[in-house]
């Protein structure tokens, strides 16, 4: 039985690029929660925040997570769940119901990165990231603040991988290895205590 591989983590930790690479290597489908939200709302994430506020965005996000977690398709080869890599936005695990729904269908791999690395990566895309633009703080201070607030949420993932010093290919290697270890643990029956003769 093949559970889904869910890639989550703070903004700019490399979820989408690693997710696409992992999906290509496993020959699995790839789906990005934010891309589905944008398609359904027919507007950008920044525009959804600007027009309707964060609460509305989080509702749309919960709907899409529930939709993807409720996937009833089966794999034509093993007849287990349809194999898929799901990449999420950085705030998905903050809502415990998202985490519960995703854990039921797969292994949650959370990418992390040092705040300075994230700050450098988002430099050119800050305006597309409302959670970074909404405070009067410097980008680095805001990133540290949000990471602190979310540390508990990210700790709910099955495994965390620091992508700070890794290439996308290396991140993909680590993700596939971590997924294999966790999926095996999830599916295999617990080891029986050995009986002495
Ligand atoms: C958010 C992260 C974004 C997007 C939205 C909110 C967050 O996705 O979902 O702007 O709260 O961390 P990325 O993590 O892909 O940038």
């Amino acid at each position: 039985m093949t559970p889904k591989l869910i890639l989550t983590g703070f903004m700019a930790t490399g979820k989408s690029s690693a997710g696409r690479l992992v999906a290509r290597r496993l020959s699995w489908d790839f789906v990005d929660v934010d891309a589905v939200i944008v398609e359904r709302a027919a507007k950008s994430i920044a525009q959804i925040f600007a027009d309707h506020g964060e609460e509305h965005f989080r509702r749309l996000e919960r709907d899409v997570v529930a939709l993807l977690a409720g996937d009833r398709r089966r794999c034509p080869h093993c007849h287990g769940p349809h194999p898929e890599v799901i990449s999420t936005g950085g705030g998905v695990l903050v809502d415990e119901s998202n985490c519960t729904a995703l854990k039921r269908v797969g292994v949650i791999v959370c990418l992390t990165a040092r705040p300075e690395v994230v700050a450098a990566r988002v430099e050119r895309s800050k305006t597309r990231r409302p959670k970074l633009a909404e405070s009067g703080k410097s980008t680095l201070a805001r990133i540290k603040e949000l990471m602190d607030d979310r540390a508990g949420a990210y700790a709910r993932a099955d495994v965390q991988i620091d992508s700070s010093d890794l290439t996308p290919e290396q991140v993909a290697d680590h993700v596939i290895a971590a997924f294999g270890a966790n999926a095996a643990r999830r599916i295999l029956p617990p080891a029986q205590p050995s009986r002495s003769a």
Side-chain angles (χ1 to χ4, degrees), residues 9-13 15-16 32-34 37 45-46 49 54 57-58 61 87-92 94 122 128-132 146 150 154:
F10 201 80
M11 288 168 266
T13 49
K15 298 171 299 240
S16 296
D32 185 310
V33 170
D34 278 349
I37 295 171
I45 303 280
F49 269 75
E54 179 168 359
F57 171 77
R58 297 300 171 196
E61 188 172 59
S87 172
T88 83
V92 155
V94 174
V122 299
R128 282 191 279 115
R129 301 183 193 269
K131 290 301 287 175
L132 295 182
L146 264 180
R150 292 179 172 182
Y154 293 146

Side-chain angles (χ1 to χ4, degrees), residues 11 39 44 77 81 88 94 125 131 139 142 144 168 174 196:
M11 288 168 266
E39 194 186 323
S44 70
H77 308 294
T88 83
V94 174
S125 58
K131 290 301 287 175
T139 307
R142 177 63 178 148
K144 286 181 174 167
H174 282 74
S196 48

